[in-house]
Amino acid sequence: MTKHGFTLFLFLSAVAIATFRDEQEFCENESCNEREFDKSHFYSNGEIPLALSHKLLDALPLDEVDGNVIRTVKRSVFSESQPSPLKEPLTLAAVSQDVLRNILDLNESVIQNEEFVRCVSGGKLFPGSVPLAHRYGGHQFGYWAGQLGDGRAHLLGEYTNRKGERWEVQLKGSGKTPYSRSGDGRAVIRSSVREFLCSEAISLVVSEEPVWRDPFYNGSVIKERGAVVLRLAKSWFRIGSLEILTRTGELDVLRTLLDFVIKEHFKSIATNDPDKYVVSICVSLLFSCNTRLFYIV
């Protein structure tokens, strides 16, 4: 390793450690530990138990076109998109008790509420929710594929728990969006089980709604059951979020997005640092396998 390479490695390591320390200290300070929550925030019979906010709406450009019509989106980071409810009857097949209690501040009895099941399957919205589909690009099979985006996912909003932690809440398998291309916006049980097990998931809801898939890509289409996963991440941004803006020359939107990511997720990077954009991308790559901090950045 060259001298300059070793210096860069030490710098990035220091920034990574500082970023983790920032997050830890945020939830260990006095204001966080002594924060008082209104008791109405917690679950009680007859109420939808989770209230969301949406900092993203005020900070980032939104698609001017409404609806789920499939299209090429320009000069925006998100499109408003309403989930498509799964056909009932619905079965709440799996729930993470740890996420309910320790991240969402919810009592386990919430899973007995039919309104909650509808919310975690896309049939109803949590208070404060404005469903969004994220615009991003990427490579497929080694080639630039252009606009990809959330083709079957809806970002419902952000939740801040009693520890002061902020989590973004997303449905997967919840119907078409402007980014669905030729897809139907649905997910099947086998892929949803994988999502539930491998991500910071809250729930897995299964429906009798038929979804047609070719699981072995050999032309043999079969009928499977539809499912929806409600999952969490500190952010759902990824490298493709930046790539699409770079490829289309939307550099002003790119700067807006990077400024937001640095401010919200990498507080150890000085906003007046002339190299802040390069540093933020390098640090993001260091965290690429940590779904608690970032999705796939």
Side-chain angles (χ1 to χ4, degrees), residues 20-254:
F20 275 118
R21 188 181 298 118
D22 284 348
E23 184 172 334
Q24 184 179 24
E25 288 178 353
F26 176 79
C27 288
E28 289 179 350
N29 63 35
E30 181 177 343
S31 62
C32 184
N33 283 340
E34 295 184 358
R35 185 176 175 186
E36 293 295 331
F37 271 66
D38 187 335
K39 291 185 179 180
S40 64
H41 164 82
F42 295 94
Y43 171 70
S44 62
N45 289 327
E47 297 178 359
I48 299 176
L50 197 66
L52 304 180
S53 61
H54 240 317
K55 186 180 296 184
L56 299 167
L57 285 173
D58 297 326
L60 299 171
L62 193 65
D63 186 7
E64 295 181 355
V65 180
D66 293 331
N68 292 337
V69 177
I70 297 169
R71 60 187 180 273
T72 299
V73 177
K74 297 290 186 180
R75 300 199 56 76
S76 61
V77 179
F78 291 100
S79 300
E80 285 195 46
S81 177
Q82 293 296 319
S84 301
L86 281 173
K87 292 181 180 178
E88 298 188 15
L90 303 174
T91 301
L92 186 59
V95 175
S96 170
Q97 303 288 355
D98 177 59
V99 172
L100 281 179
R101 291 192 305 266
N102 299 321
I103 294 181
L104 297 182
D105 308 319
L106 296 176
N107 189 291
E108 296 173 12
S109 61
V110 70
I111 64 177
Q112 306 299 326
N113 188 310
E114 292 183 4
E115 295 294 284
F116 179 76
V117 176
R118 290 191 180 96
C119 285
V120 299
S121 62
K124 294 193 73 172
L125 296 178
F126 291 108
S129 174
V130 179
L132 302 175
H134 178 39
R135 174 194 177 208
Y136 60 84
H139 292 77
Q140 293 181 330
F141 309 106
Y143 297 94
W144 174 249
Q147 176 180 291
L148 298 175
D150 289 334
R152 55 178 179 173
H154 292 83
L155 175 58
L156 299 181
E158 180 184 75
Y159 177 70
T160 302
N161 64 21
R162 56 184 171 181
K163 302 174 187 176
E165 300 170 341
R166 295 188 296 271
W167 292 88
E168 291 182 5
V169 182
Q170 184 195 69
L171 290 170
K172 184 71 175 286
S174 45
K176 286 187 176 183
T177 76
Y179 310 100
S180 294
R181 296 179 288 169
S182 59
D184 59 12
R186 290 303 189 198
V188 295
I189 293 177
R190 54 189 168 84
S191 63
S192 299
V193 168
R194 181 181 67 245
E195 294 281 357
F196 181 82
L197 294 175
C198 295
S199 62
E200 203 77 43
I202 305 169
S203 60
L204 169 62
V205 176
V206 176
S207 168
E208 296 295 333
E209 180 175 327
V211 178
W212 299 92
R213 290 290 184 268
D214 181 0
F216 299 106
Y217 303 98
N218 60 2
S220 299
V221 178
I222 62 173
K223 183 173 73 172
E224 301 188 53
R225 294 171 64 188
V228 171
V229 172
L230 188 66
R231 57 186 189 166
L232 302 172
K234 288 298 182 72
S235 173
W236 293 104
F237 292 128
R238 60 193 75 200
I239 285 295
S241 309
L242 311 178
E243 281 186 294
I244 189 68
L245 300 174
T246 303
R247 291 272 184 162
T248 56
E250 300 170 43
L251 300 185
D252 55 336
V253 181
L254 176 64

